[in-house]
Amino acid sequence: MSFHHRMMLQRYGLGCTTSLYSEVLFDPIFTPIFTAVLGTGAFNIGVASISYASIASAIATTAISIGLQALLAQAPKPPKPEDGRAPLNQAIPFRIYAVGRTRVAGARMMWEAKGSNLYSVQAIAGHRIKSFNRFYLNDDEVTVVDNVVTPLTTGGRYGAGSANVRLYTRLGANPETPYAELVSALGADGIWTNDHRGDGQASLAMRAHNADAQDQQTAFPYGAPSPSVEIDGAYCWDFRDPAQSPTDPSTWTWTRNSAVILAWHLCFNEFGFGLDYQKALLPVIDLWKEEADICDEDVPLAGGGTEKRYQCNGWDTTENGPKSGLNAILATCDGHLVARGDGARILTVGKFRESRTATLTDADIVGHNVQYGVLFEDECNRLVPKFTYPATNYTSCDTDFFEDTDAQIAAGRVLTMEGSYEWCHQWRQARRLGKRDWLRQRQEVKGSLDVRLSGINAVYARWVRLDTPKRLPKLDGKLIENRRSIVALTKGGFTMDFIEHPEGIDDWNPATEEGQQPPVPPAVNVSNIPTPVINLIQAKANGGSVYIRVVIIDPEDGSFTPVVRYRVADADGLGTPGAWVEQQNPSAEPSGGYIDLSTGNVPADKVLDIQVAFIASNRRYSNWSVTETVTSTSDPTPPAALTSFTPTGSAPRLGNAAFAFSTGNDAHVRSVDLYRVAAGIAFDPDAETPIASLAVGPSASYSYTYGDATRANLLTDGDFSVSPGPWTLETGWSIGSGVASKAAGNNTLIRQPAAIGAGKKGRLAYTITAFSAGSCISRLTNGTNHYEGTARNATGTFLETTTVVAATTIFGIRGSATFVGSIDNVYLYEETAACAPQGTWDFYAVPINGSGIAGPTSGPITLTII
């Protein structure tokens, strides 16, 4: 039976079901594509041309493995956060990767006792990391100064008598530096030598020295110390930063942005999916930038200040495969990831936008299975969001749950499900994610649609609007969410699992929905001083300076003096943090279960690390709290728009463009950035580098020239106002009515003297005002050497740059024997290094305040630079 015949029979069968097609209709979409699989061809999906063969074999959407779905589907999961407290002990351990900020112990590479010393080395991550932040021995957080564990907060542990512990770290450079102390002690035995560098592997080494017999129990009450660390993990390519190159990891930055981390995991993580970024990211890079920006949006907090919408922190091992990490990352941003047929990956994070919505009509659907209610076995009347809580030394923790008490009474019991967001470390973020899953779980309209190939764009969209007055009249005009789509040839093309999009899923009122901060059990050190728990951090501008407001949970002990300390996270521009600066708050009083603290003036417009501790009456310190990060923005108010932004001068613009602009009566404006982008290209200031940053003040006017203003036209009478003037007219050429014209018959020049130096570039422009046949071409010559441009055979203005090897003395335009046309407005000059790039450009101006916050954009001004 032929393929054509089988398709016809399938059509007849569908005609007897819920299909809208008649028995004799042959599908014009389905048939051509899949009969062409054996041949060649392509059609467009979005902006990309996809081959039929790739459609048949590769088109699908990746399941949204987030929260409840990941839990219910038994998707692979990363290790529990508690697993990061103790190192793995395996003969051949699995490799580890880490993103964001997390606690991890890694895997033991060496454990050796020699004399009174115990030596160990742990592989922390199989890639370069940013920093080691905090150190733990067993469950005690310890302070390390010059590699030595100091017993400041451990009551003598790890430092009693002659005992001491040293910790050494390596960030994973390639090549890496050997541990000199271990090599000195163990190298002669071949246990650990200079060849044990661990290139590209972040690692932690320890040397623990025994105490005297009477002090051993005090120094090491838990036996041999087991180190673990809090680290800032992998560097990632932030595709929004033009200074970063995907092929040069040295330009990458550390980040917690969920979208940026996901791109790294898909394409650059050695233990990820290994996709080609040129296929997976670049064709849709603007979509990825949009998602990364949404992840970085500031969400207001109930007590003041903001936090980023979606952040990601976690670690995993290669035992689980890359999908484990993928699920965890998607869970942190309510992410929806699509694998397009051409290899591109499209991410949509949890924030509804009409631009990510497609439409399905009656004609696009061949079958459906809709459920207008929730089966008892699927019912959930309580959702408990779970996340990893740094304040409890990186353990799993619950936030306030979401519940429906009426549904619980009707069901006669509490039906609980957990939302698992293990790579989310912010309790408020876990609440926001939990609300989204809770509202979806409560939706009663769910099901699946069998979609024809004509509805392929909907398969790739996260949200779909139904235009189905005949097939699904109850859902006509409704918005549904595409939860998962797969190729299903026997069902017409694709099967799409969907759920009705909940109303108000993006609404968030911090005052009523944020909930309470999860309780933190008292984590006392040996001096019985609890560790402070930070509720929120906020930078407060104050007359051009900045102080930091820190709110902590009241320890209900008035004898403690809270102390805040801060440091600049990147003091030298190379990622090295500055020194800690402490400030005590002895007069701070509790109110409503919290204590409101503040620092003095801090460095303005810097990223700061913040920690809090308690000081007891005996002057002993508690452990320092979890490190929080804040930007000390001195001026959060964006400047007003420029009152004017105009070009000055007139064409021709030989190697330069000049502008004038004025600022308004606005005290916030401090500078204006000027940008240049190719004409007609969308402008994104975050992805462009300014051509100039000009210091400005309010209510003032400024001018700026971009490029070399000294250039002048080397040609006389380039507008052909006289005949023959300076021009030499060869056979067929004539000047009249302000143009130079040529008749057919001879291959000849119109020329005049013009010198371009040896090794220099001549820039030129000319306009063909009329054209009938043949072609013309520019020429620079010294009589022996000829340097020609591009042959032109149409009307228009043409820009060219010609490099000459030997100095030239003559410029001309040569018309072919068949050329019939007219030329006007000819310009030529010698290019310098200061010249602005040749071309037609859009120019923009953006006012900036003292904290680097941008105001409204002015432009575009479109100018042509010759």
Side-chain angles (χ1 to χ4, degrees):
M1 181 183 297
S2 70
F3 180 80
H4 179 84
H5 194 188
R6 290 199 306 272
M7 293 300 301
M8 288 293 294
L9 290 178
Q10 180 180 351
R11 272 286 160 249
Y12 290 137
L14 288 174
C16 300
T17 66
T18 57
S19 170
L20 293 178
Y21 304 122
S22 70
E23 294 185 0
V24 297
L25 178 62
F26 206 101
D27 188 337
I29 299 294
F30 186 98
T31 303
I33 290 181
F34 285 95
T35 55
V37 168
L38 301 179
T40 59
F43 73 109
N44 290 329
I45 302 174
V47 297
S49 179
I50 316 298
S51 69
Y52 300 146
S54 66
I55 294 291
S57 61
I59 195 170
T61 55
T62 301
I64 313 169
S65 300
I66 60 176
L68 295 173
Q69 184 163 345
L71 188 67
L72 297 176
Q74 297 299 310
K77 300 188 183 90
K80 294 183 178 297
E82 292 83 358
D83 295 339
R85 295 183 173 191
L88 300 173
N89 287 294
Q90 296 174 315
I92 304 178
F94 292 97
R95 302 277 290 279
I96 294 171
Y97 62 92
V99 295
R101 179 171 294 167
T102 190
R103 180 179 175 182
V104 63
R108 279 211 175 98
M109 295 190 288
M110 191 267 289
W111 178 268
E112 189 73 25
K114 185 174 183 179
S116 298
N117 294 320
L118 171 67
Y119 299 93
S120 73
V121 180
Q122 291 161 219
I124 298 300
H127 52 79
R128 183 171 67 115
I129 66 172
K130 176 179 177 285
S131 63
F132 289 83
N133 303 329
R134 301 163 69 192
F135 298 86
Y136 301 85
L137 294 177
N138 302 313
D139 267 343
D140 292 326
E141 184 177 358
V142 296
T143 301
V144 178
V145 179
D146 295 330
N147 301 118
V148 178
V149 173
T150 60
L152 298 177
T153 59
T154 58
R157 292 179 191 166
Y158 320 114
S162 61
N164 65 77
V165 178
R166 292 175 176 266
L167 297 175
Y168 308 89
T169 60
R170 296 291 184 267
L171 295 176
N174 192 2
E176 192 49 273
T177 305
Y179 289 109
E181 183 166 342
L182 273 65
V183 172
S184 176
L186 305 174
D189 299 323
I191 297 173
W192 200 264
T193 70
N194 282 321
D195 291 332
H196 293 82
R197 295 192 307 265
D199 294 346
Q201 311 295 309
S203 61
L204 170 71
M206 178 187 72
R207 191 217 68 178
H209 185 75
N210 275 341
D212 297 333
Q214 65 272 20
D215 297 319
Q216 185 71 7
Q217 187 60 33
T218 300
F220 301 109
Y222 308 119
S226 178
S228 60
V229 288
E230 178 195 86
I231 64 170
D232 287 350
Y235 288 90
C236 303
W237 174 49
D238 190 334
F239 33 79
R240 299 169 295 174
D241 183 358
Q244 298 186 36
S245 168
T247 59
D248 184 3
S250 67
T251 65
W252 299 355
T253 56
W254 175 78
T255 183
R256 298 187 188 190
N257 185 289
S258 295
V260 175
I261 287 173
L262 179 59
W264 174 81
H265 185 59
L266 291 175
C267 301
F268 303 102
N269 182 7
E270 180 184 350
F271 318 113
F273 288 88
L275 304 179
D276 182 352
Y277 76 94
Q278 298 181 80
K279 296 179 180 179
L281 301 180
L282 293 189
V284 289
I285 196 65
D286 288 340
L287 301 181
W288 280 86
K289 291 178 180 178
E290 179 182 347
E291 304 314 295
D293 288 342
I294 291 174
C295 291
D296 275 344
E297 287 179 349
D298 290 326
V299 177
L301 308 181
T306 61
E307 72 177 20
K308 300 303 180 185
R309 183 182 295 275
Y310 295 128
Q311 291 188 331
C312 177
N313 309 266
W315 64 279
D316 198 1
T317 76
T318 54
E319 178 180 13
N320 297 315
K323 191 170 184 180
S324 169
L326 173 67
N327 289 332
I329 297 169
L330 289 173
T332 66
C333 61
D334 188 21
H336 175 277
L337 186 66
V338 172
R340 204 168 66 176
D342 61 347
R345 298 300 191 270
I346 302 175
L347 171 68
T348 307
V349 301
K351 181 182 179 181
F352 174 75
R353 284 143 287 157
E354 197 66 42
S355 61
R356 297 299 182 95
T357 304
T359 300
L360 279 178
T361 67
D362 283 324
D364 298 321
I365 302 173
V366 297
H368 66 270
N369 179 8
V370 180
Q371 174 184 322
Y372 294 94
V374 180
L375 297 176
F376 180 77
E377 59 265 27
D378 296 332
E379 187 175 354
C380 167
N381 51 44
R382 174 180 289 175
L383 170 67
V384 182
K386 298 182 72 69
F387 74 112
T388 298
Y389 201 11
T392 57
N393 285 331
Y394 292 91
T395 61
S396 297
C397 188
D398 300 346
T399 69
D400 288 350
F401 48 76
F402 299 87
E403 66 176 349
D404 184 339
T405 54
D406 290 340
Q408 292 171 0
I409 294 172
R413 59 175 177 161
V414 176
L415 300 171
T416 302
M417 290 185 180
E418 292 181 348
S420 179
Y421 316 108
E422 293 180 342
W423 284 20
C424 169
H425 288 185
Q426 290 76 28
W427 61 274
R428 297 177 178 93
Q429 179 181 337
R431 281 278 297 175
R432 295 194 299 272
L433 292 167
K435 176 186 175 180
R436 302 181 70 87
D437 271 339
W438 168 247
L439 291 179
R440 290 194 193 95
Q441 184 63 28
R442 303 296 295 165
Q443 288 298 305
E444 294 189 348
V445 179
K446 306 174 183 178
S448 63
L449 301 175
D450 298 330
V451 180
R452 300 175 61 209
L453 287 173
S454 60
I456 194 169
N457 285 334
V459 170
Y460 288 108
R462 177 164 189 173
W463 296 283
V464 179
R465 200 172 298 281
L466 296 179
D467 181 11
T468 54
K470 296 180 179 179
R471 173 175 288 279
L472 297 168
K474 278 188 175 182
L475 299 182
D476 183 37
K478 298 287 187 178
L479 186 68
I480 64 173
E481 185 170 342
N482 174 8
R483 300 292 285 171
R484 181 171 180 264
S485 294
I486 59 172
V487 175
L489 300 184
T490 61
K491 295 184 178 181
F494 312 98
T495 293
M496 176 191 297
D497 296 334
F498 75 90
I499 186 170
E500 185 174 1
H501 184 65
E503 293 288 338
I505 193 171
D506 290 319
D507 296 341
W508 182 255
N509 184 344
T512 59
E513 296 183 290
E514 192 173 273
Q516 294 294 315
Q517 183 170 6
V520 179
V524 298
N525 58 13
V526 176
S527 302
N528 291 318
I529 307 175
T531 302
V533 178
I534 295 176
N535 177 262
L536 67 85
I537 301 282
Q538 187 177 15
K540 304 285 283 187
N542 182 25
S545 60
V546 189
Y547 69 93
I548 304 300
R549 175 188 176 222
V550 183
V551 178
I552 62 173
I553 295 177
D554 179 14
E556 299 181 352
D557 189 331
S559 67
F560 296 143
T561 299
V563 55
V564 180
R565 71 177 185 178
Y566 68 86
R567 68 181 180 184
V568 178
D570 184 359
D572 59 2
L574 301 175
T576 305
W580 288 106
V581 178
E582 291 188 16
Q583 182 166 343
Q584 297 183 18
N585 287 254
S587 59
E589 295 294 335
S591 175
Y594 299 96
I595 302 178
D596 207 325
L597 312 175
S598 63
T599 67
N601 290 341
V602 300
D605 303 316
K606 300 289 186 181
V607 177
L608 303 178
D609 292 333
I610 308 292
Q611 293 180 341
V612 185
F614 290 130
I615 304 176
S617 55
N618 60 6
R619 308 306 299 164
R620 290 186 176 179
Y621 278 66
S622 72
N623 290 335
W624 290 97
S625 69
V626 172
T627 304
E628 299 288 349
T629 302
V630 65
T631 301
S632 57
T633 304
S634 61
D635 185 1
T637 305
L642 299 177
T643 57
S644 66
F645 176 48
T646 58
T648 58
S650 58
R653 303 180 188 277
L654 305 182
N656 71 87
F659 306 92
F661 60 89
S662 299
T663 57
N665 184 17
D666 176 26
H668 297 284
V669 67
R670 291 289 183 272
S671 63
V672 171
D673 288 350
L674 298 180
Y675 293 87
R676 169 185 56 83
V677 298
I681 300 299
F683 173 57
D684 179 3
D686 294 330
E688 301 292 340
T689 301
I691 58 174
S693 293
L694 309 175
V696 300
S699 301
S701 297
Y702 301 88
S703 60
Y704 176 75
T705 298
Y706 171 54
D708 188 346
T710 68
R711 301 295 86 193
N713 193 1
L714 297 176
L715 303 175
T716 305
D717 193 34
D719 59 355
F720 303 106
S721 59
V722 296
S723 177
W727 294 97
T728 298
L729 308 179
E730 296 184 355
T731 303
W733 283 96
S734 63
I735 294 177
S737 301
V739 296
S741 302
K742 181 183 177 296
N746 300 96
N747 187 348
T748 55
L749 287 164
I750 181 172
R751 53 186 168 82
Q752 69 167 276
I756 300 295
K760 302 294 185 179
K761 293 180 179 180
R763 285 196 189 178
L764 63 102
Y766 62 95
T767 300
I768 300 178
T769 60
F771 172 79
S772 297
S775 64
C776 65
I777 191 167
S778 64
R779 172 185 284 187
L780 288 166
T781 181
N782 55 19
T784 303
N785 305 104
H786 307 302
Y787 306 101
E788 295 189 330
T790 302
R792 308 294 181 180
N793 56 6
T795 58
T797 298
F798 303 99
L799 308 180
E800 297 181 353
T801 300
T802 302
T803 302
V804 303
V805 178
T808 60
T809 56
I810 300 293
F811 168 78
I813 295 179
R814 178 174 58 84
S816 67
T818 57
F819 177 66
V820 177
S822 300
I823 295 171
D824 197 5
N825 298 325
V826 185
Y827 304 97
L828 173 71
Y829 68 94
E830 186 174 282
E831 180 185 275
T832 65
C835 285
Q838 189 180 52
T840 300
W841 308 101
D842 287 341
F843 291 89
Y844 296 85
V846 181
I848 308 292
N849 75 4
S851 296
I853 296 176
T857 298
S858 296
I861 293 175
T862 303
L863 299 176
T864 297
I865 298 176
I866 294 175

